[in-house]
Amino acid sequence: MQDRIEWIDCAKLIAIIAVAVDHCNGFLYTKPHVAVASYYSVSLFVLLAGISIWNAYTRGKEVSFAAQFRRVQKILIAYTIATFIGTYIITRRFDLKTYMTYLLNFDIQGPYYYLVFFIQLIMVAPILLNWCRFVNCKKCKWVLHLGTIGFLGWFAYISINYTYILPVHGGGKYLGGVLM
C-alpha cells in the first residue's frame, strides 16, 4: 500500500511556494496584491495536515495522545537545536538568557511562531479524530457534524477573544491555535 497521496504532495509544493513568496514580502516585491495572494499558505498547510492525519488514522496508524506526544517531542528537539544554533549565530557566543528567551517565545526567526500553533493541532488531533469516528456511526451524523462545526466556531470566537498563550505571531498565541 502506498503511503503518499500525490495530489497532497502537489498541494504541499504550492503551499511551500506561497510561504516563500509571503516571506519575501518587502525584499523581492512590495506590491500588496502579491502578498495577499499568498496568505492562503498556512491555511492550506493546516488543511493538508488534517487530510494526511485522517488518512493515516483511517488506515489504522496510531493517532493516540502518546503517539502525538512523541511527534511533538521530535519537533521540540529539532526546534531546541535550531534555536541553539541560531542564538550562537546571532550573538556570536552562547548566552543562556538570550537562548531561553528565544526558546520560550518561539521568536528567534519569524517562522518559528508556527510551531506553537502546529503543536496545539497535533495534540488535539486524537480528540477530533475520535469524535469524527463516533459521529460517523450515528444515524443523523449530518446534524452532529453541523453541531460540531458550530461548536468549533464558538470555540474559535472564545479563543480569539478570551485566551492568550504566548506573544507569537498568528494563531499560536491563542488556545487552540485559531487562525486569524
Side-chain angles (χ1 to χ4, degrees), residues 147-160 178:
T148 301
I149 291 169
F151 172 78
L152 292 174
W154 171 82
F155 179 78
Y157 172 80
I158 296 299
S159 176
I160 287 173
V178 179

Side-chain angles (χ1 to χ4, degrees), residues 26-64:
F27 299 106
L28 297 179
Y29 66 90
T30 57
K31 305 239 184 235
H33 66 279
V34 175
V36 169
S38 67
Y39 285 167
Y40 69 88
S41 57
V42 172
S43 299
L44 182 56
F45 271 124
V46 171
L47 175 66
L48 295 172
I51 292 170
S52 296
I53 201 163
W54 178 262
N55 187 44
Y57 185 68
T58 57
R59 286 184 290 127
K61 289 194 178 177
E62 184 183 14
V63 188
S64 65

Side-chain angles (χ1 to χ4, degrees), residues 1 9 18 30 34 43 79 81 84 116 124 146 158-159 168 171:
M1 180 188 314
D9 290 340
T30 57
V34 175
S43 299
Y79 165 70
I81 293 167
F84 178 84
V116 180
V124 77
L146 286 175
I158 296 299
S159 176
V168 296

Side-chain angles (χ1 to χ4, degrees), residues 127-172:
I127 295 168
L128 294 175
L129 292 171
N130 284 319
W131 177 252
C132 286
R133 176 180 276 172
F134 170 77
V135 167
N136 284 337
C137 294
K138 301 301 176 192
K139 279 188 176 185
C140 296
K141 62 184 173 185
W142 65 273
V143 173
L144 289 172
H145 281 300
L146 286 175
T148 301
I149 291 169
F151 172 78
L152 292 174
W154 171 82
F155 179 78
Y157 172 80
I158 296 299
S159 176
I160 287 173
N161 290 295
Y162 301 106
T163 68
Y164 185 78
I165 296 174
L166 288 172
V168 296
H169 177 74

